[in-house]
Amino acid sequence: MAATHRGTCFCGAVEIEVTDAPVEMGYCHCSSCRSYSGAPLVAYVLFRAEDVKVTRGAELLSGFRKTEMSDRQFCRKCGGHIMTGHPTLGFTDVRAAAIPTMRFEPTVHLNYAEAVLPIKDGLPKLKDFPTAAGGSGETMPE
Ligand SMILES: [Zn+2]
Ligand SMILES: [Zn+2]
């Protein structure tokens, strides 16, 4: 059985379990992520949807869909963000901070054209999304 990591929402009522096989780790700078999180960027860990399971407090999990692309899931008790499902792609991205035992090793920045906080870390900066996710795949300077 593959190794797993456990994570929780801010209050701990909702618990998730993820496999130790993320598809990608990175940062998103888009205005939606910034507006929803109240932070200048969001750190995400992307998994295949079937690799993320809610193991406790599923009844407290609420979702909000501004678009069909993203199902943002949060705890109704504390308001803490946990993950965002991307049903059309078959992926779920989990807030990096929600799974603290998984070492965060980002490889890419998404939607850098919308960045308000430039990060000069030498990682590739995609203007929007990778082509596989319907974006241009174009990179841009830091
Ligand atoms: Zn909570
Ligand atoms: Zn975003």
Side-chain angles (χ1 to χ4, degrees):
M1 209 184 109
T4 57
H5 291 271
R6 279 171 189 276
T8 67
C9 63
F10 186 56
C11 77
V14 178
E15 188 180 83
I16 60 165
E17 192 176 276
V18 300
T19 64
D20 197 8
V23 176
E24 181 182 276
M25 299 187 186
Y27 302 98
C28 187
H29 295 258
C30 84
S31 61
S32 288
C33 283
R34 289 189 280 107
S35 167
Y36 179 59
S37 68
L41 82 176
V42 158
Y44 68 86
V45 183
L46 190 69
F47 295 91
R48 286 176 308 215
E50 62 268 29
D51 287 343
V52 181
K53 290 183 180 59
V54 178
T55 48
R56 194 176 66 206
E59 70 284 359
L60 288 170
L61 209 53
S62 264
F64 181 78
R65 290 192 185 200
K66 191 173 185 180
T67 67
E68 282 311 301
M69 167 106 172
S70 297
D71 182 15
R72 297 168 195 275
Q73 308 215 334
F74 57 92
C75 169
R76 265 206 310 277
K77 199 168 158 191
C78 70
H81 301 173
I82 302 163
M83 58 192 171
T84 300
H86 301 293
T88 56
L89 299 172
F91 291 125
T92 295
D93 75 64
V94 177
R95 290 280 199 242
I99 38 175
T101 60
M102 182 173 267
R103 194 181 154 83
F104 185 62
E105 293 174 318
T107 57
V108 69
H109 289 252
L110 303 181
N111 295 301
Y112 203 67
E114 299 176 41
V116 295
L117 179 66
I119 310 274
K120 298 188 189 298
D121 58 4
L123 293 175
K125 307 291 183 300
L126 292 192
K127 212 171 130 188
D128 42 68
F129 288 105
T131 48
S136 70
E138 285 172 42
T139 56
M140 55 184 288
E142 291 191 318

